[in-house]
Amino acid sequence: MSAAVYYGPRDIRVENVVKPTLEESTDAVVRVTHTAVCGSDLWFYRGKTDRDIPSRVGHEPMGIVEEVGDDVQSVDVGDRVFAPFKISCGMCEFCRRGLHTSCVNGDGWGDDNGGAQGEVIRCRHADGTLVRVPDAYANDDSALRSILPLTDVMGTGHHAAVSAGVSAGSTCVVVGDGAVGLCGVLAARRLGAARIVAVGHHPDRLSLASEFGATDTVSARGQEAIETVQEMTGGGAEHVLECVGATSAMETAVEVCRPGGTVGYVGVPHGLDDGLDLFSFFGDNITLQGGVAPVRAYADELLADVLQGTLDPAPVFTKTVDLDSISEGYQAMDERDAIKVLVEI
Amino acid sequence: MSAAVYYGPRDIRVENVVKPTLEESTDAVVRVTHTAVCGSDLWFYRGKTDRDIPSRVGHEPMGIVEEVGDDVQSVDVGDRVFAPFKISCGMCEFCRRGLHTSCVNGDGWGDDNGGAQGEVIRCRHADGTLVRVPDAYANDDSALRSILPLTDVMGTGHHAAVSAGVSAGSTCVVVGDGAVGLCGVLAARRLGAARIVAVGHHPDRLSLASEFGATDTVSARGQEAIETVQEMTGGGAEHVLECVGATSAMETAVEVCRPGGTVGYVGVPHGLDDGLDLFSFFGDNITLQGGVAPVRAYADELLADVLQGTLDPAPVFTKTVDLDSISEGYQAMDERDAIKVLVEI
C-alpha cells in the first residue's frame, strides 16, 4: 500500500509500505479515504522539531472499516468511521472522565499502525477510538468533508473554548486565525458567546472567521493587537482562546485576558522554548487551562451538530490533494497558501 | 515615629521617619501594634530582587485606628483592625468579584503610606481595605496572634487551596512547608479535604503540617518527592497547592498532579527566571490557576472561623521580636530558624 513518509525537513515522500494487519482482538483495520495535513505537522516539516527519519506521518484518519478483531463491538466491516489524533481505550479512568488524551492505554499514529496519511491503518482499541458515522451520511461527500475536522482541529478549537470557560453570553477573544483558531470561533459561537473577537493577520482567514461567527476581527500582531483588543473589550475579555502555541501568541492571549479570566490554550507549545513568563498570569490571577485536546470526548456531540447542519467546519479545507500529491499539500500549508489541506486517498 | 527601612541585602535598619497623616477623606491612620516578616520579604533581603534603597518595608499590618477621614464608614477611631498586603477600594469591578488584588484603585504598602513594619500607617481606601476585629477580641492577645496571619499567609494558603479546587473529600498535595504551605494545609482541611499530603524538607515544619491536618508528610525534594507522592496517591492528586514560587517546586507540583487536575499556585514566581516549561502541563491538561492572593476577599470568612476557634494559624509564628529587633527577625527567617516572625510594635 502507499503511505506518506517523512524524510526530513520539507521532504515528504509517498512510498510503498507494508500494509498493517490485525494484531489484537480489539483492533480494527481501516481503509483510509480522507485525511488531512495539520498545522502541527508543520513543526517537523519545517525542521523545528525532531522526528525519526524515515517515519510515517498523519493523524487525522477517516475511512471504511476493512477488518475487525473478535472483541470489537461498536464498528463492523464496511462502516464509515473516523478517528481522533490519539488512540484511546475508552475504559480507563481518564477516558471515562473525558480526558482520552491521557488514556493509560493510549497511543498515537505512526510507523507501527500505518500513519494516517496512508491507505490503511490499524486502529488499536477500536471501540474506544473509532467514531461511527451514521449510514445515511456514510457516502455523502459533503457531509464527510464537514466531519473530517472532528478528527482534530474542530475538537481542538472546541477544547480551547471549553477550557477558556466560554458560555452563553460570554465575550471571548480567539488568538490565531489558523484552522484551530477558526474552529475556536465556531466553537465559541456554538457555546453561545455573544461577542467573539478574532485576532490574526491574514485578511482571508479573518474574513472566514467573520463567516464563522466572529463579531469583530483584529488584523494585527503584538502590542498593536493587544491595545486594539483591550480597547474593544474595555480592558480584556474573561475568556481567551490561544490557538497558536507560539510565545508571541501566548503573550497576546494573557495581555487581552481580563483580570481573573481564563486563557484556554491548545496550541502545542513548541514555540515556547524560553518557557512561559508566569508573572503576567500571576499578577492578575489569570488561569491557564487546556492542553492537548481530548477530541474523542467531544466527537459525538460535535458530530450530532454537523449532521444537523448547525456546525460546519468544512470551509477550513481550502485545498484538496490526493495522496500522491500530498507534498504539495504540505507545501501549501507551509507557504500559507492553504488554511488546511484535505487529502483524498 | 520609628519604621523599618531597607538599605540593601541583609541590611534592615529601624529609623526615625515622618509619621504619615490623613490625606484623603477615605483614608484612615492606624497605629500598628502587630506586624510580621514575610517569606516574600526574603527575596529583596537576600538581594534576589531589586528594591529601592532606602525604602520602607512590611505589608502585614494590624493595629488601632487613630484617625479617620470624613468619608470612612466602616471603622472608627479606637477600632482594632488589620489590613491585607494590598490596598483595595472595595467598589470596583474586581473588588466586587473578589479579586481585590486587581483593584483598579489598588496600591501596596511602602514609602508613601508608612510601610507596615513601622509604628503608623496611612491606609487609603479604608472602607475597602481594613477589616475590623470585633470588640470582644480587640485586646485578646491570643486571638490577635491567630488573626494576624489573615493579613497575608493564611489568605494566601487559602487561595492556593481554592485555586486548586480543593473540596470536601478531595485528595490534595501541598508543595512547600513554609508559612504559606502550612496555611495551605489548614485551608485544605477547612475545605474538607480527606487526604492532605504535605511535601517539604524540614522535619519540624512537617510535624506542624501534621498538627494542622496533613494526613501524610513527605520529607524529600525533586524526583524522590515526586516518586513518593506518585506512589502514595496512585498517580498523583487532582488538587495540588504550589506554595513556594520556585522552579523546582512548580516542577514537583505538576509532576504530582493527576492528569486533568489543577495546580493552585500562589508563590511569587521569582525563581522562575527561565520561564515555565509548559509541556508538562500541556500533555496532561493540567490547569494552572491562582496568582497573587486576594486576601481581602477571604478575610471575613476566615476571621469568623478564627474567632470560633476552628481555625488557628498562630503556630506559624515561631519567633516574636519587637520593632527595634526586627533585623533579628529577618535573620531568623533567612536562616530558616523561624517559620514566620511576629513583630510587636
Side-chain angles (χ1 to χ4, degrees):
Chain A
M1 69 166 213
S2 290
V5 183
Y6 174 72
Y7 272 91
R10 296 187 167 79
D11 186 1
I12 302 286
R13 305 178 196 169
V14 176
E15 293 192 332
N16 196 23
V17 299
V18 176
K19 179 184 163 186
T21 53
L22 283 187
E23 292 183 19
E24 294 175 68
S25 63
T26 50
D27 288 354
V29 169
V30 178
R31 178 158 294 272
V32 178
T33 57
H34 301 70
T35 188
V37 183
C38 185
S40 66
D41 291 332
L42 294 179
W43 289 104
F44 63 77
Y45 185 75
R46 290 170 172 169
K48 303 268 189 185
T49 51
D50 291 333
R51 190 183 181 97
D52 288 343
I53 295 173
S55 63
R56 223 68 73 72
V57 285
H59 56 253
E60 296 159 288
M62 169 184 279
I64 302 287
V65 176
E66 202 169 77
E67 213 177 342
V68 292
D70 288 344
D71 293 326
V72 173
Q73 307 287 331
S74 61
V75 296
D76 211 340
V77 175
D79 284 352
R80 168 72 64 182
V81 294
F82 67 90
F85 62 84
K86 281 279 190 182
I87 288 165
S88 51
C89 74
M91 294 188 296
C92 72
E93 168 190 346
F94 301 109
C95 285
R96 288 196 194 282
R97 65 189 278 188
L99 194 62
H100 299 70
T101 41
S102 290
C103 172
V104 298
N105 302 302
D107 204 353
W109 299 102
D111 289 343
D112 71 329
N113 52 32
Q117 290 164 0
E119 289 183 314
V120 177
I121 52 173
R122 174 176 71 93
C123 180
R124 288 178 55 222
H125 298 294
D127 282 337
T129 305
L130 295 174
V131 184
R132 190 176 180 285
V133 176
D135 292 341
Y137 301 90
N139 295 299
D140 175 340
D141 196 58
S142 170
L144 297 181
R145 286 178 72 91
S146 301
I147 294 167
L148 184 61
L150 305 192
T151 58
D152 187 337
V153 289
M154 185 60 230
T156 298
H158 180 67
H159 189 54
V162 169
S163 298
V166 174
S167 60
S170 297
T171 291
C172 67
V173 178
V174 180
V175 178
D177 60 6
V180 172
L182 292 164
C183 289
V185 170
L186 281 176
R189 186 188 62 175
R190 178 176 174 277
L191 291 168
R195 191 166 187 203
I196 303 169
V197 180
V199 181
H201 46 270
H202 299 90
D204 56 325
R205 297 177 182 205
L206 289 172
S207 166
L208 184 53
S210 296
E211 287 175 39
F212 276 3
T215 54
D216 307 81
T217 60
V218 174
S219 183
R221 294 180 179 205
Q223 199 54 36
E224 187 191 346
I226 291 166
E227 285 169 13
T228 306
V229 177
Q230 284 272 7
E231 183 161 342
M232 279 177 147
T233 54
E238 289 187 24
H239 313 282
V240 179
L241 289 67
E242 196 287 287
C243 299
V244 180
T247 307
S248 58
M250 188 60 94
E251 285 169 357
T252 299
V254 68
E255 294 298 334
V256 301
C257 191
R258 204 170 194 83
T262 301
V263 173
Y265 79 116
V266 293
V268 185
H270 280 301
L272 292 165
D273 290 338
D274 303 331
L276 177 69
D277 179 5
L278 211 54
F279 260 105
S280 42
F281 288 84
F282 186 81
D284 277 320
N285 274 268
I286 289 169
T287 298
L288 185 63
Q289 186 153 2
V292 58
V295 163
R296 183 63 186 82
Y298 305 130
D300 297 312
E301 60 176 307
L302 296 178
L303 178 60
D305 280 24
V306 169
L307 298 181
Q308 283 169 31
T310 56
L311 176 68
D312 184 9
V316 299
F317 293 119
T318 56
K319 184 178 175 74
T320 301
V321 297
D322 59 20
L323 181 57
D324 286 336
S325 314
I326 194 168
S327 65
E328 289 171 28
Y330 273 85
Q331 199 179 335
M333 297 270 293
D334 181 31
E335 293 169 0
R336 301 201 180 279
D337 284 341
I339 300 178
K340 190 167 178 71
V341 172
L342 188 153
V343 184
E344 290 178 338
I345 299 185
Chain B
M1 69 166 213
S2 291
V5 184
Y6 174 72
Y7 272 90
R10 297 189 166 78
D11 186 1
I12 302 287
R13 304 179 196 169
V14 177
E15 293 192 331
N16 197 21
V17 298
V18 176
K19 179 184 163 186
T21 52
L22 283 187
E23 292 183 18
E24 294 175 69
S25 63
T26 50
D27 288 353
V29 169
V30 178
R31 178 159 294 272
V32 178
T33 56
H34 301 69
T35 188
V37 183
C38 185
S40 66
D41 292 332
L42 295 180
W43 289 104
F44 64 76
Y45 184 76
R46 291 170 173 168
K48 302 270 189 186
T49 52
D50 291 334
R51 189 183 182 95
D52 287 344
I53 295 174
S55 62
R56 221 69 71 75
V57 285
H59 55 255
E60 296 158 287
M62 170 183 278
I64 303 287
V65 176
E66 202 169 77
E67 215 177 340
V68 293
D70 289 344
D71 293 326
V72 173
Q73 306 289 330
S74 60
V75 296
D76 212 340
V77 174
D79 285 352
R80 169 72 62 181
V81 295
F82 68 90
F85 62 84
K86 281 279 191 185
I87 289 165
S88 51
C89 73
M91 295 189 297
C92 73
E93 168 189 347
F94 301 108
C95 285
R96 288 196 195 280
R97 64 189 280 189
L99 195 61
H100 298 71
T101 41
S102 290
C103 173
V104 298
N105 301 303
D107 203 353
W109 299 100
D111 289 343
D112 72 329
N113 51 32
Q117 290 164 1
E119 289 183 313
V120 178
I121 51 172
R122 174 176 71 91
C123 180
R124 288 178 55 224
H125 299 295
D127 281 338
T129 306
L130 294 174
V131 183
R132 189 177 181 285
V133 176
D135 292 339
Y137 301 90
N139 296 300
D140 176 340
D141 195 60
S142 169
L144 297 180
R145 287 179 72 91
S146 301
I147 293 167
L148 185 60
L150 305 192
T151 59
D152 187 337
V153 289
M154 186 61 230
T156 298
H158 180 67
H159 189 54
V162 169
S163 298
V166 174
S167 61
S170 297
T171 291
C172 67
V173 177
V174 180
V175 178
D177 58 8
V180 172
L182 291 166
C183 288
V185 170
L186 280 176
R189 187 190 60 175
R190 179 176 175 275
L191 291 167
R195 192 168 186 200
I196 303 169
V197 180
V199 181
H201 46 270
H202 300 90
D204 56 326
R205 298 177 181 203
L206 289 173
S207 167
L208 184 52
S210 296
E211 285 175 39
F212 276 2
T215 54
D216 307 81
T217 61
V218 174
S219 183
R221 293 180 178 205
Q223 199 54 36
E224 187 191 346
I226 292 165
E227 285 170 15
T228 306
V229 177
Q230 284 273 6
E231 183 161 340
M232 278 177 148
T233 54
E238 288 188 24
H239 314 283
V240 179
L241 290 66
E242 197 288 286
C243 299
V244 180
T247 307
S248 58
M250 188 61 94
E251 285 170 356
T252 299
V254 67
E255 292 297 333
V256 300
C257 192
R258 204 170 194 84
T262 301
V263 173
Y265 77 116
V266 292
V268 184
H270 281 300
L272 292 164
D273 291 339
D274 303 330
L276 177 68
D277 179 5
L278 211 54
F279 260 106
S280 42
F281 288 84
F282 186 82
D284 276 320
N285 275 267
I286 290 169
T287 297
L288 185 63
Q289 185 153 1
V292 58
V295 163
R296 184 64 185 83
Y298 305 130
D300 297 313
E301 59 176 307
L302 296 179
L303 178 60
D305 281 24
V306 169
L307 298 181
Q308 283 170 31
T310 56
L311 176 67
D312 184 9
V316 298
F317 293 120
T318 56
K319 184 179 175 75
T320 301
V321 297
D322 58 21
L323 180 59
D324 287 335
S325 313
I326 195 169
S327 66
E328 288 171 28
Y330 274 85
Q331 198 179 335
M333 297 269 294
D334 180 32
E335 293 170 359
R336 300 200 181 282
D337 283 340
I339 300 178
K340 190 167 178 71
V341 172
L342 188 153
V343 184
E344 288 178 339
I345 299 185

